[in-house]
Amino acid sequence: MKIALMGQQNSGKSTIFNSVAGYKAVTSNFPGKTVTYNLTKFNLFGQTLELVDLPGTYSLTSFDLAELEARKYLLKNSVDVVIDVIDASLLSRSLELTLQLLELKIPMVICLNMIDEADRKGIKIDIEKLSKILDVPVVPVIAVKGKGIKELFSTAYKMGEKKKIGKTLNFSKDVEEVIEKLSAQIKEKQISKEFNVPERFLAIKYLENDRYFMEDFKNRDKKIFKEINYFQNLLKEVHGRPPDVVISSERHHLSMNIYESVVSLTKPHASLIDYLDNVLMHPILGYISLGLIFYLFFNLVFKVGKIVEEPLLNYFYSIIPLIG
Ligand SMILES: Nc1nc2c(ncn2[C@@H]2O[C@H](COP(=O)(O)OP(=O)(O)OP(=O)(O)O)[C@@H](O)[C@H]2O)c(=O)[nH]1
Ligand SMILES: [Mg+2]
């Protein structure tokens, strides 16, 4: 079974990867590119699972080389389960990628990582509700402490066995109608099979003018290209914005709605690190602290040095004749 870690930058993918990989990880290059990814194998329930740590990705519609390679890997490598690693303290932004991953219709688990950070910021997430909305299991994790990692992989394994696919959430009615009509055309012409993606996903990519999917068939099928143009113009006319902006704002809107229905905000807990940060980064107190730290440091070096100097010197003097 092949499991892929996907998620936005700094969401903790590599920390999770390293917690199971240890020294066995193999780093590879995407063919012809300098973008790397890590691969490892590990055992769970007597099965050998393959785990790949993909580059951080903000969106599946992207021009960034590393992000495009991560997407291509998902499309071309028959991944059995995707673990969508989310920074729980940045939930609304992260959900935009989650919605796109769901459109790929690959079995998925959401890893709600950095629960400790979310707690500290006073962000409380209703995990059951989030799981219900997306019809995907959600596992709370604190990757740096190894908390929840076992449950994460056993859930991923179960999802891979069941091949259970989450829900695709609908956009506004008029946008959804355009997507449906274009999907029907794509289905009729069996284009999505070539790319090995669901029709709805491909229809959205075409409306977004995604270069990877557009370039290949532009020369081959003039008719569908005309249809795409027609639907793109339709969205543009109704919304007064380019179709890719319309789609991304639809996704943003959905993510915000989900965020608002599952998150409750409480007072952030100020930790010792916050207090230290406030003092050390203060424009005046910061310099005073720096002076104090230097003062203590030099005192430590000279005072402790004075105490240990004599016994150390005596020791060295005593071994010099032996060396002689
Ligand atoms: N507080 C907290 N920090 C975490 C947790 N998990 C990871 N981190 C920290 O988050 C930072 C980013 O973690 P990485 O594992 O490098 O993130 P990544 O998703 O691999 O990042 P990219 O490869 O750049 O996309 C590191 O400093 C981790 O120590 C967690 O559960 N809690
Ligand atoms: Mg990483």
Side-chain angles (χ1 to χ4, degrees), residues 75-145:
L75 301 183
K76 295 214 160 159
N77 283 274
S78 53
V79 169
D80 299 289
V81 188
V82 174
I83 296 182
D84 174 25
V85 185
I86 286 182
D87 175 348
S89 67
L90 298 169
L91 184 65
S92 72
R93 192 187 77 184
S94 314
L95 282 172
E96 293 187 28
L97 177 69
T98 308
L99 294 177
Q100 296 179 61
L101 288 171
L102 283 166
E103 280 160 7
L104 278 175
K105 294 193 186 294
I106 302 174
M108 190 165 114
V109 177
I110 291 177
C111 164
L112 210 50
N113 191 29
M114 306 208 192
I115 289 289
D116 56 334
E117 268 298 296
D119 271 349
R120 203 173 61 79
K121 288 187 186 169
I123 299 170
K124 180 130 189 30
I125 300 168
D126 186 337
I127 289 175
E128 257 176 51
K129 198 169 179 188
L130 179 62
S131 165
K132 223 176 189 173
I133 293 173
L134 302 172
D135 198 16
V136 158
V138 179
V139 183
V141 168
I142 304 176
V144 272
K145 292 186 186 154

Side-chain angles (χ1 to χ4, degrees), residues 161-286:
E161 287 263 282
K162 282 197 231 163
K163 300 199 191 311
K164 193 179 163 299
I165 283 155
K167 226 189 259 173
T168 319
L169 301 192
N170 283 353
F171 296 146
S172 311
K173 202 164 164 253
D174 67 309
V175 181
E176 206 55 46
E177 268 172 22
V178 168
I179 294 173
E180 256 173 46
K181 283 180 190 157
L182 187 55
S183 300
Q185 297 278 341
I186 289 168
K187 193 172 184 180
E188 197 182 293
K189 295 190 164 56
Q190 302 202 330
I191 308 169
S192 60
K193 279 203 185 120
E194 261 178 65
F195 291 109
N196 192 25
V197 291
E199 285 103 19
R200 188 175 189 278
F201 178 83
L202 192 56
I204 294 172
K205 291 298 142 214
Y206 281 153
L207 289 171
E208 288 176 317
N209 235 345
D210 189 294
R211 253 187 277 165
Y212 172 75
F213 294 102
M214 295 293 267
E215 269 171 15
D216 192 38
F217 88 106
K218 234 181 192 173
N219 309 321
R220 283 186 284 148
D221 194 339
K222 291 266 185 306
K223 206 167 153 236
I224 184 100
F225 190 57
K226 264 190 199 154
E227 300 276 351
I228 293 169
N229 244 336
Y230 167 76
F231 286 122
Q232 282 178 339
N233 285 333
L234 198 67
L235 282 185
K236 208 170 166 182
E237 265 168 35
V238 176
H239 292 264
R241 283 179 295 176
D244 57 327
V245 179
V246 174
I247 304 265
S248 68
S249 50
E250 285 287 323
R251 241 182 238 124
H252 182 69
H253 184 67
L254 269 181
S255 306
M256 281 309 289
N257 277 351
I258 301 172
Y259 173 83
E260 277 165 16
S261 68
V262 299
V263 165
S264 48
L265 295 174
T266 54
K267 211 169 159 258
H269 314 294
S271 66
L272 181 64
I273 290 174
D274 292 319
Y275 284 124
L276 282 177
D277 256 7
N278 285 343
V279 174
L280 294 177
M281 306 305 279
H282 190 274
I284 298 162
L285 289 179

Side-chain angles (χ1 to χ4, degrees), residues 7-18 53-57 85 87 112-117 120 141-147:
Q8 299 190 333
Q9 273 88 344
N10 283 322
S11 57
K13 298 175 294 299
S14 302
T15 311
I16 294 170
F17 179 86
N18 291 333
D53 177 19
L54 293 173
T57 310
V85 185
D87 175 348
L112 210 50
N113 191 29
M114 306 208 192
I115 289 289
D116 56 334
E117 268 298 296
R120 203 173 61 79
V141 168
I142 304 176
V144 272
K145 292 186 186 154
K147 276 191 189 162

